[in-house]
């Protein structure tokens, strides 16, 4: 390709393969990090003015010391995601790493990987990523995938590969409000919860019943219950201490500081756990396993090994079906009314409906009061309406009340 000089320094014109006149710039500069001379090129501009504008932007970035930005202007989204993963994956929690790797492989790269990272604008992102995801997933999942990509973008800004976040104001679900986008909470009424537990006691093994009973009365996460060891059960003070979580990826520390907590428990639960402990000792002895304070609480009767996460999910569906706690999906099939996590929502909802202190509930769940207000805002709205009539009822009950 033969280049021809123009009146502007560093600007050239040439004829492309189709015989069309195009402009480009070539500019040499010193990389501040390596102190080596480099050349920056930009081509395929239709006008000399457009090429000059691009050159001036490059010069301005170099003056600001943003040579890293200049050096990576041809970096694709896919290439950046690979770099981001390589630099950080060893520092991510197991579940976080798995979640981000799946999002990169299944969503981010297929939809956005071919775009130049620095050229990806909000309109393109909305059309090529968000709108495609909205056709495949529920709003909550789309929001999650959007947030994960924002994390990758913010990391690029931190590494000076990008100058700013162009997708932070992207709308999820058109003009829907946050309240409309949120998935409906899956929880049971007190009567339904009682039916569920009675059914589990009648139809399930002692491990499954005790596990569900503990979840329902504590509000702990299912992984936290799976991670309980007998040293975490204080029979004298009727408390359970959370200090780990366990799932198919193994046992590990809870994700947040708030998750470390000691939960006061009902005497009935502690009595059941004491009875269950005796059974566990017998089962472990039968399989030649030594019972210690470090033994996991919930074990299987087939081997005396800790229960698996997948087995619990199947069990919970089975119990709900036996209890008649099912709904119909769009295909007319019966599906469980709630998930295992729904027992946690049920616990919180029952406490809130009984006017328990928000701070106490947050500490019990391992959350913050702000999170409780955010997740269970619908209950507080109901309380606001009730407070109006409660105030009036109080005045009306006084002799000689206002008329």
């Amino acid at each position: 390709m033969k280049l021809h000089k123009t009146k502007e320094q560093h600007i050239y014109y040439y004829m492309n393969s189709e015989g069309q006149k195009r402009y480009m710039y070539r500019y040499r500069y010193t990389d501040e990090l390596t102190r080596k001379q480099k050349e920056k090129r930009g081509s395929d501009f239709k006008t000399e003015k457009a090429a000059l504008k691009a050159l001036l932007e490059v010069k301005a970035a170099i003056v600001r010391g943003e040579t890293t930005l200049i050096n990576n202007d041809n970096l694709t989204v896919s290439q950046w995601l690979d770099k981001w993963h390589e630099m950080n994956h060893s520092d991510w929690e197991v579940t976080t790493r798995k979640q981000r790797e799946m999002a990169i492989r299944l969503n981010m790269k297929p939809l956005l990987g071919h775009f130049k990272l620095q050229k990806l604008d909000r309109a393109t992102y909305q059309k090529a990523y968000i709108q495609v995801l909205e056709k495949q997933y529920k709003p909550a999942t789309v929001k999650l995938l959007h947030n994960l990509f924002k994390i990758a973008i913010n990391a690029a800004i931190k590494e000076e590969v990008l100058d700013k976040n162009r997708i932070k104001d992207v709308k999820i679900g058109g003009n829907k409000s946050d309240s409309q986008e949120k998935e409906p909470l899956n929880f049971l009424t007190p009567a339904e919860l009682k039916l569920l537990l009675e059914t589990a006691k009648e139809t399930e093994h002692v491990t499954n019943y005790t596990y569900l009973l503990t979840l329902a009365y504590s509000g702990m996460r299912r992984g936290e219950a799976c991670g309980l060891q007998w040293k975490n059960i204080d029979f004298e003070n009727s408390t359970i201490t959370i200090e780990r979580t366990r799932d198919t990826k193994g046992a590990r520390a809870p994700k947040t500081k708030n998750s470390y907590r000691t939960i006061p428990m009902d005497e009935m639960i502690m009595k059941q756990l004491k009875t269950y402990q005796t059974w566990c000792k017998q089962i472990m002895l039968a399989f030649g396993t030594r019972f210690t304070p470090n033994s996991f609480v919930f074990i299987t009767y087939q081997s005396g090994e800790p229960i698996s996460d997948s087995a619990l999910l199947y069990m919970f569906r089975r119990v709900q079906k036996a209890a008649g706690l099912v709904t119909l999906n769009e295909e007319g099939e019966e599906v469980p009314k709630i998930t295992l996590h729904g027992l946690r929502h049920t616990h919180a909802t029952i406490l809130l409906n009984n006017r328990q202190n928000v701070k106490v509930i947050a500490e019990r769940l391992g959350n913050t009061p702000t999170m409780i207000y955010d997740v269970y805002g619908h209950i507080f709205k109901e309380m606001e309406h009730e407070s109006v009539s409660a105030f009036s009822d109080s005045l009306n009950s006084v002799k000689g009340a206002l008329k």
Side-chain angles (χ1 to χ4, degrees):
M1 180 176 65
K2 186 176 181 181
L3 299 181
H4 305 274
K5 291 183 178 180
T6 68
K7 61 180 181 180
E8 296 289 348
Q9 190 179 16
H10 309 301
I11 303 294
Y12 305 85
Y13 74 87
Y14 62 94
M15 307 303 291
N16 64 16
S17 58
E18 296 178 357
Q20 299 169 326
K21 190 175 184 180
R22 291 290 184 265
Y23 293 85
M24 71 174 295
Y25 67 81
R26 296 176 62 177
Y27 182 70
R28 295 188 65 81
Y29 67 97
T30 302
D31 189 316
E32 288 193 353
L33 294 177
T34 63
R35 306 307 302 171
K36 293 182 179 180
Q37 281 285 307
K38 292 187 176 182
E39 184 178 77
K40 187 63 187 171
R41 300 184 181 189
S43 60
D44 203 33
F45 296 99
K46 292 182 179 181
T47 65
E48 181 179 346
K49 184 177 180 181
L52 179 60
K53 180 181 178 183
L55 173 61
L56 292 175
E57 290 175 354
V58 169
K59 287 183 176 181
I62 293 172
V63 170
R64 294 193 299 267
E66 297 172 352
T67 54
T68 302
L69 198 68
I70 298 301
N71 295 337
N72 288 282
D73 68 340
N74 285 320
L75 191 71
T76 65
V77 171
S78 183
Q79 290 170 333
W80 166 246
L81 291 173
D82 288 339
K83 284 189 175 184
W84 176 54
H85 179 270
E86 179 63 29
M87 289 188 298
N88 299 286
H89 76 278
S90 59
D91 297 326
W92 295 336
E93 294 285 344
V94 176
T95 51
T96 299
R97 182 167 66 247
K98 184 71 174 178
Q99 182 189 62
R100 292 179 182 179
E101 287 173 349
M102 287 184 64
I104 290 172
R105 176 169 53 88
L106 300 177
N107 305 108
M108 297 179 189
K109 279 189 174 182
L111 298 178
L112 298 172
H114 62 287
F115 288 105
K116 295 288 182 64
L117 181 66
Q118 293 182 12
K119 299 296 183 182
L120 183 63
D121 56 27
R122 185 170 62 180
T124 301
Y125 176 78
Q126 186 92 46
K127 182 178 180 180
Y129 192 60
I130 298 300
Q131 290 181 9
V132 175
L133 293 177
E134 287 176 334
K135 295 177 182 178
Q136 303 176 27
Y137 303 105
K138 295 180 179 179
T141 303
V142 176
K143 188 173 183 179
L144 170 64
L145 292 171
H146 170 56
N147 288 337
L148 291 177
F149 191 74
K150 281 199 299 184
I151 294 172
I153 290 296
N154 289 332
I157 296 171
K158 184 178 180 181
E159 296 296 327
E160 299 182 351
V161 174
L162 270 182
D163 57 346
K164 63 181 179 179
N165 187 341
R166 295 180 175 85
I167 64 169
K168 61 181 179 180
D169 296 324
V170 167
K171 300 293 183 182
I172 308 296
N175 296 319
K176 293 180 181 178
S177 65
D178 288 343
S179 61
Q180 289 176 308
E181 289 177 8
K182 289 182 179 177
E183 291 290 306
L185 289 178
N186 54 328
F187 60 88
L188 301 176
T189 65
E192 289 172 331
L193 178 60
K194 184 179 180 182
L195 173 61
L196 176 83
L197 295 175
E198 289 175 346
T199 303
K201 186 174 184 179
E202 294 172 1
T203 63
E204 291 294 326
H205 190 269
V206 63
T207 291
N208 294 339
Y209 168 63
T210 308
Y211 177 84
L212 292 179
L213 195 69
T214 303
L215 276 189
Y217 275 78
S218 66
M220 69 179 71
R221 301 172 179 90
R222 78 186 196 211
E224 293 172 342
C226 289
L228 287 178
Q229 295 175 344
W230 284 109
K231 64 183 179 182
N232 302 132
I233 313 296
D234 187 342
F235 290 106
E236 184 176 345
N237 295 303
S238 296
T239 62
I240 295 178
T241 297
I242 306 297
E243 57 184 14
R244 78 186 62 75
T245 186
R246 185 177 68 83
D247 54 23
T248 54
K249 302 175 185 67
R252 58 191 177 280
K255 192 171 184 179
T256 66
K257 292 181 179 179
N258 289 326
S259 297
Y260 289 91
R261 62 198 187 279
T262 296
I263 308 171
M265 297 296 295
D266 187 277
E267 285 295 335
M268 183 269 288
I269 307 301
M270 302 309 291
K271 184 178 179 180
Q272 174 63 26
L273 284 169
K274 192 68 177 176
T275 301
Y276 178 63
Q277 184 186 62
T278 302
W279 177 86
C280 289
K281 290 178 179 178
Q282 295 171 349
I283 288 294
M284 294 179 72
L285 179 62
F287 284 99
T289 306
R290 184 165 170 258
F291 180 92
T292 73
N294 291 325
S295 298
F296 285 103
V297 172
F298 297 108
I299 60 174
T300 67
Y301 67 90
Q302 297 99 329
S303 64
E305 295 294 319
I307 53 177
S308 68
D309 197 49
S310 57
L312 290 170
L313 295 176
Y314 286 117
M315 174 274 294
F316 195 51
R317 295 189 191 119
R318 189 169 61 239
V319 173
Q320 288 187 78
K321 186 173 182 179
L325 296 171
V326 294
T327 58
L328 297 179
N329 62 18
E330 293 179 356
E331 288 74 34
E333 301 169 331
E334 288 187 347
V335 294
K337 188 167 185 179
I338 66 169
T339 64
L340 267 176
H341 196 72
L343 288 179
R344 179 172 165 85
H345 288 315
T346 299
H347 186 83
T349 302
I350 290 175
L351 291 178
L352 287 169
N353 281 326
N354 282 278
R355 306 299 188 267
Q356 296 303 300
N357 184 277
V358 172
K359 185 175 184 297
V360 172
I361 296 174
E363 291 174 351
R364 190 170 180 83
L365 297 181
N367 284 337
T368 63
T370 301
M371 291 174 69
I372 297 297
Y373 282 115
D374 181 49
V375 175
Y376 302 100
H378 65 291
I379 295 179
F380 293 105
K381 284 292 182 183
E382 293 173 6
M383 289 181 179
E384 286 180 13
H385 292 300
E386 292 176 9
S387 67
V388 175
S389 57
F391 185 83
S392 298
D393 291 343
S394 296
L395 289 185
N396 292 334
S397 65
V398 178
K399 187 176 181 180
L402 293 173
K403 296 181 180 180

